[in-house]
Amino acid sequence: MNGKIIRIIADLYTVKIDDMLYGCRARGVFRKEGITPLVGDDVIIDPANNIIVKILPRKNELKRPIIANVDNALIVSSVKEPNLDLILLDKLISTVTYNNIEPIIVFTKIDLLTEEEKDNINELRAYYEEIGYKVFYNNEAAQIIKSIKGKIVVLAGQSGAGKSSLINRLTNKYNIETKEISKALGRGKHTTRHTELYDVDDALIADTPGFSALDLSNIEKDELKDTFIEFANYECKFHDCLHNKEIECEVKKAVENKKILKSRYNNYLKILEEIK
Ligand SMILES: Nc1nc2c(ncn2[C@@H]2O[C@H](COP(=O)(O)OP(=O)(O)OP(=O)(O)O)[C@@H](O)[C@H]2O)c(=O)[nH]1
Ligand SMILES: [Mg+2]
Ligand SMILES: [Zn+2]
């Protein structure tokens, strides 16, 4: 029988087949062959013995959080408490794009902003939409659900950003534990401790522990620019231009002319520096 792993706790795998859940163990031979079943894996199980006998080929595999066959990432970014972190947002967009996962940006905690701050976030949203991303506020549940119908979705964003709360907004089925952030430290308390897939209206969403940085080590220096999709609108004199110091760089010109958002470009440079 064919199913999908939706939860792993220690060596117990929960496999979903239609609307039934099976608690399974993996075949002993997997370990010997160095194969690790992941959340999101499509598997074949032997239902008589509750054993996973085969893992089907993966479309992709994310390292942090460890999850397979992901279509979309909901990048959850709080605008306050914890403060908006644009470099983390741009890093997450790059990482998921590099892994052939379509990012969807969700801003949370808009309700904590003054009118003026709200205008700034609206402008920021407009920029990310204009360059081609789907962007929502977390109170736009119907639109979010529509954009992930039938997809495997991973939640990403720092601890306390409101990832688990978002799932609770999209469905009232689970009532996942959420926790106030530490006022003293201004960050979340790592409330979610393992990766689990939740069924939300024909989408499977992986809630994950919050993380503030991602492993970008597998992106090469010259590949990073391709994950900043708006840069592709400009053709530089040298086609291998890294847009960092070359003269006659059209991207740099676009930043000066305010066609490219300054924070995007600065974050690109910072991430480039981290890769070197
Ligand atoms: N005011 C306000 N608070 C929110 C909003 N979304 C979430 N919160 C609160 O933010 C806190 C943290 O939310 P969680 O959903 O636990 O955050 P998380 O991203 O799952 O955090 P980890 O599990 O630690 O990674 C909770 O107290 C939520 O009630 C929002 O839109 N507005
Ligand atoms: Mg959580
Ligand atoms: Zn350039």
Side-chain angles (χ1 to χ4, degrees):
M1 286 166 79
N2 275 49
K4 187 177 281 297
I5 299 177
I6 62 158
R7 177 168 56 223
I8 302 176
I9 296 174
D11 59 355
L12 186 67
Y13 301 86
T14 304
V15 177
K16 184 172 182 273
I17 300 176
D18 297 323
D19 277 330
M20 293 280 287
L21 298 180
Y22 297 77
C24 296
R25 309 262 166 202
R27 266 175 73 186
V29 66
F30 286 158
R31 181 166 300 169
K32 252 203 312 221
E33 290 169 355
I35 302 168
T36 313
L38 301 180
V39 167
D41 264 334
D42 295 310
V43 295
I44 297 175
I45 70 162
D46 164 5
N49 298 302
N50 280 24
I51 285 182
I52 297 172
V53 294
K54 192 175 161 70
I55 299 168
L56 300 178
R58 289 171 188 151
K59 164 174 141 177
N60 57 28
E61 186 183 324
L62 215 59
K63 294 264 180 283
R64 276 177 72 192
I66 281 203
I67 183 164
N69 298 321
V70 179
D71 300 299
N72 285 107
L74 288 175
I75 301 183
V76 179
S77 188
S78 53
V79 296
K80 221 172 195 170
E81 298 184 10
N83 284 335
L84 182 62
D85 186 345
L86 284 181
I87 185 155
L88 178 63
L89 174 65
D90 288 334
K91 244 184 217 181
L92 289 170
I93 292 173
S94 282
T95 309
V96 302
T97 302
Y98 185 73
N99 285 284
N100 295 319
I101 297 166
E102 185 199 350
I104 297 173
I105 301 163
V106 180
F107 288 116
T108 65
K109 314 202 190 190
I110 309 292
D111 53 289
L112 301 180
L113 298 181
T114 63
E115 285 306 315
E116 193 187 334
E117 289 170 326
K118 237 176 251 178
D119 289 344
N120 293 337
I121 297 298
N122 283 334
E123 261 175 48
L124 197 68
R125 172 183 182 158
Y127 178 82
Y128 281 97
E129 280 178 332
E130 199 184 294
I131 62 175
Y133 294 117
K134 290 182 188 136
V135 188
F136 300 105
Y137 295 143
N138 63 345
N139 58 6
E140 298 168 334
Q143 284 118 294
I144 296 172
I145 287 173
K146 202 169 144 205
S147 73
I148 57 172
K149 216 169 168 45
K151 303 288 169 71
I152 292 193
V153 182
V154 68
L155 285 172
Q158 61 182 322
S159 180
K163 299 180 295 297
S164 301
S165 305
L166 177 63
I167 298 185
N168 289 338
R169 278 171 186 255
L170 299 181
T171 174
N172 52 21
K173 254 195 326 212
Y174 299 105
N175 207 355
I176 304 165
E177 186 191 7
T178 65
K179 234 185 236 152
E180 273 176 30
I181 67 158
S182 153
K183 291 276 179 195
L185 298 172
R187 46 181 148 82
K189 295 173 178 166
H190 296 282
T191 309
T192 303
R193 296 190 175 275
H194 65 269
T195 296
E196 174 152 357
L197 283 180
Y198 295 95
D199 232 316
V200 176
D201 214 340
D202 201 27
L204 282 176
I205 306 184
D207 193 10
T208 56
F211 44 92
S212 50
L214 269 178
D215 188 7
L216 279 165
S217 56
N218 56 353
I219 300 189
E220 298 289 331
K221 234 171 53 181
D222 60 338
E223 292 172 322
L224 182 68
K225 57 177 161 40
D226 301 328
T227 66
F228 279 71
I229 50 174
E230 70 269 47
F231 293 2
N233 297 326
Y234 305 94
E235 211 170 316
C236 299
K237 181 165 181 196
F238 305 103
H239 85 275
D240 58 351
C241 181
L242 283 182
H243 316 312
N244 56 346
K245 45 177 167 270
E246 290 81 356
I247 33 166
E248 298 192 63
C249 170
E250 296 302 320
V251 166
K252 288 187 86 161
K253 270 183 215 162
V255 177
E256 276 154 34
N257 298 334
K258 299 198 157 84
K259 293 250 163 44
I260 291 176
L261 195 67
K262 189 113 197 202
S263 65
R264 284 278 288 170
Y265 179 67
N266 288 341
N267 290 339
Y268 166 77
L269 292 181
K270 280 187 204 155
I271 299 168
L272 191 67
E273 202 53 42
E274 278 176 30
I275 292 174
K276 280 182 194 168

